[in-house]
Amino acid sequence: MAARNDDGMDQAITLHKDAQRTAGVTFAARLTFDDIHHHYQGKETIRGLSLTAEPGEVLCLLGPSGSGKTTLLRIAAGIEAQAAGRVVINDREVSGPSGFLPPEKRGVGLMFQDFALFPHLNVLDNVRFGLTAMAGKAASAEALVALDRVGLAHCAEKFPHALSGGEQQRVALARALAPRPSVLLMDEPFSGLDSRLKDTVRADTLAILRESRATAVVVTHDAEEAMRMADRIALLKDGRLVQVGTSDDLYRRPKDIFAAAFFSEINEFSARVSGGRVDTPLGSAAAGALADGTQVDVAVRLSDVSVRESGGAIPARIISRRFVGVVELLDLAVPGTERPVRARIRADILSPGIREVTIAVEPKDILVFEKTQENPYIGVN
């Protein structure tokens, strides 16, 4: 078998045990995108984006399809070149006016969305494939260290078709980590896994990333996934950076209605500032520094709409009621708007068959944003 090349698996295992005793962690690097521009078929796909992944952090690039996430990852890897701007790893420009460093010299690992395992190679040889700078036995030993790190050393002689989806994902991660890259780039690494497996594999991957201490940049379109994994999240739309910060920052202090909608389902209203306040069908809120007469977008999360049988400030009628386990989803008719107001409430707090209810929203939960010419809300989530 392919795993027994280079004087046999026994020698590799012996070297692997020695390597385990001496294996160090990765030296994490700082990855900087400086005013990146990119065009594809005459269309501007990245528009002056600047962003830094700090050493050892997990940074998630989050956004809808077409926002530029994967393009940015490919530019960092050296697979694609930007039209303008610089990519800097630590203090070294790897792509920009000063020149272009090929992918293999950047110290960057790339993990593809479909894992891209070679079906004709066993697991050990798949992981060993990227260790071209090492001699055969040493490469096998290093590959076994990487497999050990992901808990799959016992699968070294198996072939990819004999592994589960989660195991294939971990083999791909081992292959990306085997050369000990200072920056690891991951393009939607969990999208091919079923929902039951995803949580476990994601938690295991995050633990491995913490252990390896590499800087990791992870592309995802799933806000919850980004919140579970990231030290910081960079939210992208149409090739621009909308907002960057911790999950707490982006959820509690969204910059605009697009950011608010990306992290939770919302009810959306348009309004105008009057007397320093904004009036909506769900209550009144302070307008902050916005001047009277300013047109605003208003968002109220479904979970912030409190529905009671009585005692709420606003009368409402239940149009539809869907039970989805621990919660119920309601569509409500409310005075002052022709569009149904949606709510997410804990299941069974309302009596069966009830139609007439009341609702209440705390003023602090009414999010107010100055309206821009382009309304960025696209109904994501």
Side-chain angles (χ1 to χ4, degrees), residues 36-47:
I36 299 294
H37 292 258
H38 180 270
H39 302 87
Y40 179 71
Q41 294 184 344
K43 180 184 176 183
E44 193 173 20
T45 51
I46 297 181
R47 312 177 187 198

Side-chain angles (χ1 to χ4, degrees), residues 313-359:
I314 302 166
R317 177 180 291 112
I318 296 176
I319 301 171
S320 71
R321 181 176 180 178
R322 287 165 288 164
F323 175 79
V324 289
V326 296
V327 300
E328 289 183 291
L329 301 177
L330 307 178
D331 284 350
L332 304 156
V334 174
T337 177
E338 295 182 359
R339 295 172 59 183
V341 169
R342 297 178 296 155
R344 179 188 295 267
I345 64 171
R346 184 169 56 82
D348 304 324
I349 66 171
L350 297 178
S351 301
I354 192 170
R355 295 294 302 277
E356 303 298 325
V357 294
T358 63
I359 63 176

Side-chain angles (χ1 to χ4, degrees), residues 289-313:
L290 297 176
D292 281 7
T294 302
Q295 293 281 350
V296 295
D297 290 317
V298 180
V300 177
R301 295 185 176 102
L302 273 60
S303 57
D304 289 333
V305 179
S306 173
V307 184
R308 314 168 189 170
E309 295 190 5
S310 62

